[in-house]
Amino acid sequence: GGAGELKEQSLWEMKFAATTGFVANGACRPSFRTGGCNAVCRPSLRGGLPVLKRGRGVAVWRMDAAGEGIYGESTNPQDVRVVIFGATGYIGRFVVKEYISRGYAVTAFARPRSGVNGKKTEEDVRQDFPGASVVFGDVTDPESVRTAFETENPDQWASTVVVSCLASRSGGIADSNKIDYQATLNTLEEGLAAGASHFVLLSAICVQKPLLEFQRAKLRFESALQDAAEKDATFSYSIVRPTAFFKSLAGQVERMKTGSPYIMFGDGKLAKCNPISEADLAKFMADCAVEESKRNQILPVGGPGSAVTPLEQAEMIFKVLEREPKYQSAPIGLMDGIIGLLSALSTFIPPLKDAAEFGRIGKYYATEDMVGPSFGSDTLEDFFARVAEGGLEGQELGDASVF
């Protein structure tokens, strides 16, 4: 563009002129996410270095300030594209279905073989998400992630929202940095290049006291996400930090059905939490796409009611099973000994580094409180009652069973 009068100005041309002082020529539709041309050059966050990254010709002129875009009263959900990563995970499945139920234009990104132990085929995933566009790929490959944002008509969307439900499957050192940080960073960078206006991140409340590798990896990404929003006033985020999931507290129910005791550490009064159901958490995450109060916020969240200790959880289970309470206590010091031994051996046997990390994860979850503001209506006691009657089908822990 250059100096001169604007003729037959469209909205974007007027905004471009007002913002930059230049006139856009017919071949260059500006992106108001960057103040530049349709090439959408963005700084890469990889490695913390300001490397220019060229976008793919996606022009987004609708700035989602207060009352605009996803926050505008006149914006219909079907006009907002929501791209969800980690779509087939424990929480991701519910998040996808919640956004679909609210009428958003949902794209679900999944592995070709997904679900617990890779049991789901591509056809299984498509059938699980009627009403969504399903894209298959690899979140560790930026070019593969890019395909989730490809569309023939980008201008049909008032806004694009990215939702990440990604989490390392094991919590191991390498896997945490590969998924919780780098793969999630890939979704952010490709989302920014595609003109995304908002990013909803599923994190974890335990990052508030980071002692584990996966927590540090999540915090590194949270920092990158916040930096992106600081650099671009038209981009925003919601960082959701849930307490604990129902399924992670139900691992002993089947044992207890057969008369086995409830195993706890110490007196069972450590590690209290107010866990949240997958459905309630999905609702909270969907609210993040429309509620201005959740914009550029870190949002700890737990389920309804007061926090309960492992001892109180056991009492709930014995009550729904109609069994006499039986307990078995294990000393926390036992875990310290195992962790210390594995750490020492890992000097000579490197693969044991992950085993030691799993031990640290186990101790963390056995000793640290996970309490957040209450949200939702599903109660832990009702969940235990359903599990006692119907088992844990659909609640499989898979690779995350260590938690």
Side-chain angles (χ1 to χ4, degrees), residues 121-381:
T121 65
E122 293 186 6
E123 187 56 32
D124 291 333
V125 176
R126 291 191 183 95
Q127 291 181 3
D128 201 26
F129 296 143
S133 171
V134 182
V135 177
F136 297 95
D138 179 3
V139 291
T140 66
D141 178 3
E143 291 188 6
S144 183
V145 171
R146 189 172 303 157
T147 62
F149 298 98
E150 292 176 350
T151 177
E152 294 181 359
N153 183 16
D155 294 331
Q156 66 183 299
W157 313 116
S159 296
T160 294
V161 176
V162 182
V163 180
S164 173
C165 298
L166 294 174
S168 58
R169 293 190 291 276
S170 67
I173 296 171
D175 195 44
S176 295
N177 286 289
K178 181 180 180 181
I179 302 300
D180 292 303
Y181 175 66
Q182 189 58 62
T184 314
L185 184 63
N186 291 342
T187 69
L188 171 61
E189 290 189 331
E190 295 305 323
L192 287 172
S197 59
H198 190 65
F199 194 108
V200 182
L201 172 68
L202 177 62
S203 185
I205 203 166
C206 61
V207 301
Q208 295 175 167
K209 186 178 179 180
L211 302 178
L212 306 168
E213 191 63 30
F214 84 87
Q215 296 165 340
R216 291 187 283 268
K218 286 182 181 294
L219 283 175
R220 286 172 62 206
F221 177 74
E222 286 189 12
S223 179
L225 179 59
Q226 291 170 303
D227 286 347
E230 287 178 5
K231 294 173 183 176
D232 185 346
T234 70
F235 174 73
S236 56
Y237 64 85
S238 298
I239 297 173
V240 181
R241 292 178 174 176
T243 52
F245 304 145
F246 281 1
K247 74 169 183 179
S248 62
L249 306 179
Q252 298 194 56
V253 174
E254 293 301 318
R255 293 178 54 259
M256 295 164 71
K257 281 183 180 181
T258 65
S260 297
Y262 181 88
I263 300 173
M264 59 191 181
F265 289 96
D267 60 3
K269 295 181 180 179
L270 296 170
K272 64 178 180 292
C273 65
N274 60 326
I276 186 168
S277 74
E278 59 273 20
D280 281 341
L281 180 55
K283 291 182 176 70
F284 187 87
M285 292 188 67
D287 289 345
C288 290
V290 68
E291 293 185 7
E292 291 185 31
S293 63
K294 293 180 171 59
R295 185 182 192 219
N296 291 339
Q297 297 293 318
I298 294 176
L299 303 161
V301 60
S306 302
V308 291
T309 64
L311 181 60
E312 292 168 324
Q313 296 164 30
E315 291 169 350
M316 290 182 190
I317 299 172
F318 284 121
K319 179 180 177 181
V320 299
L321 293 177
E322 298 181 344
R323 286 188 173 275
E324 191 70 23
K326 293 167 59 178
Y327 303 97
Q328 183 176 334
S329 176
I332 290 293
L334 177 64
M335 300 187 74
D336 292 329
I338 294 172
I339 294 167
L341 176 61
L342 292 171
S343 297
L345 290 174
S346 68
T347 303
F348 310 99
I349 310 173
L352 289 181
K353 288 182 179 180
D354 269 353
E357 184 71 2
F358 298 152
R360 286 187 283 269
I361 291 172
K363 180 183 177 182
Y364 192 101
Y365 279 86
T367 58
E368 299 294 337
D369 292 343
M370 308 279 181
V371 182
S374 295
F375 178 86
S377 58
D378 295 338
T379 67
L380 181 60
E381 189 166 9

Side-chain angles (χ1 to χ4, degrees), residues 54-74:
R54 186 175 178 80
R56 297 179 301 283
V58 179
V60 176
W61 55 264
R62 186 65 178 269
M63 296 190 288
D64 293 353
E68 296 186 20
I70 56 175
Y71 307 112
E73 292 183 2
S74 63

